[in-house]
Amino acid sequence: MSAPVPYNTSYDPTSHLLLTPEDRDAPARVARLRELGLGELPMPEFDEFARNLAHTTGAPFSMVNFIDENRQYFAGLYAAGRPGVQLESPQQQPQVGRTMTRDQGYCPHVVVRKKALVLEDVCDYPRFAGNPVVDEIGIRSYMGAPLIDRKTGMALGTICVVDTDTHPWGREGLATIKSLAEQLSDRIHQLETRGTI
């Protein structure tokens, strides 16, 4: 008899891989995001942060992503000059919208682990190669780091970059995204302290 699949996960019975990790902090994170007023609306400051993140890393897509129990919300989004567009079929130019389910992409792994994740070629990792974003959007590489809440210590979300080609992020890319995630975490803390979010 096999063990039950944890709540709020996806499971591929053909490969026996847990594709979306169990997220025990989700209810507390949802409450904290509501308290902060994050994860429901786009924020111009976060869009600007995402644009700078894309330019710094050389990625065509970047996001400031907050994750609840069922979905991901890109409060900051840069999509190579195409903000606000919806997820399209693989025959069209790869595009991304403001929301995704928890089963799409790699940020849920970063949030649960509370550690940065670098995938220079997602196809090199069977656990990640089967993610829907590979076939639906054509994502081939990913790099993300958690946004750690200074008050609670939990990961509220991520900053991340993706590319439709393989991308050699390297150690420099990892150091950069971790540093920028810390900067944005500090900024969120400052905004809360000042009562501006």
Side-chain angles (χ1 to χ4, degrees), residues 3-197:
V5 176
Y7 168 73
N8 213 5
T9 60
S10 64
Y11 180 72
D12 178 359
T14 59
S15 65
H16 306 292
L17 292 175
L18 195 61
L19 301 179
T20 306
E22 181 180 8
D23 187 357
R24 293 186 177 125
D25 288 341
R29 181 181 315 107
V30 169
R32 181 68 174 136
L33 288 172
R34 286 186 182 140
E35 181 182 334
L36 291 167
L38 297 174
E40 295 293 329
L41 296 170
M43 295 184 66
E45 181 174 348
F46 291 165
D47 281 341
E48 180 64 17
F49 181 92
R51 186 183 72 76
N52 291 334
L53 176 61
H55 289 296
T56 299
T57 59
F61 303 96
S62 66
M63 300 84 164
V64 176
N65 185 10
F66 297 106
I67 300 176
D68 66 23
E69 293 162 303
N70 302 306
R71 69 171 189 150
Q72 306 175 67
Y73 185 81
F74 304 131
L77 173 65
Y78 177 82
R82 300 183 301 273
V85 293
Q86 296 302 309
L87 190 66
E88 301 293 345
S89 69
Q91 291 80 21
Q92 298 177 359
Q93 190 173 15
Q95 301 189 17
V96 66
R98 290 271 180 189
T99 63
M100 295 178 91
T101 68
R102 283 190 73 256
D103 291 339
Q104 294 177 297
Y106 310 106
C107 288
H109 294 272
V110 173
V111 165
V112 169
R113 294 166 17 128
K114 295 183 188 176
K115 292 183 180 176
L117 176 64
V118 177
L119 303 170
E120 295 184 342
D121 184 348
V122 298
C123 295
D124 287 342
Y125 305 89
R127 177 175 188 170
F128 299 120
N131 193 281
V133 297
V134 176
D135 293 331
E136 293 173 9
I137 309 176
I139 298 303
R140 283 296 299 274
S141 59
Y142 168 92
M143 182 169 60
L147 292 170
I148 304 298
D149 182 29
R150 299 297 185 243
K151 184 175 178 181
T152 66
M154 78 174 75
L156 298 174
T158 69
I159 62 169
C160 70
V161 291
V162 296
D163 202 331
T164 53
D165 292 317
T166 58
H167 196 119
W169 308 111
R171 290 177 188 259
E172 183 179 343
L174 174 61
T176 296
I177 202 157
K178 287 168 70 174
S179 174
L180 291 172
E182 287 180 16
Q183 288 177 29
L184 189 56
S185 295
D186 288 341
R187 179 64 178 152
I188 291 168
H189 180 70
Q190 290 169 4
L191 292 171
E192 181 187 22
T193 302
R194 294 175 189 164
T196 54
I197 56 171

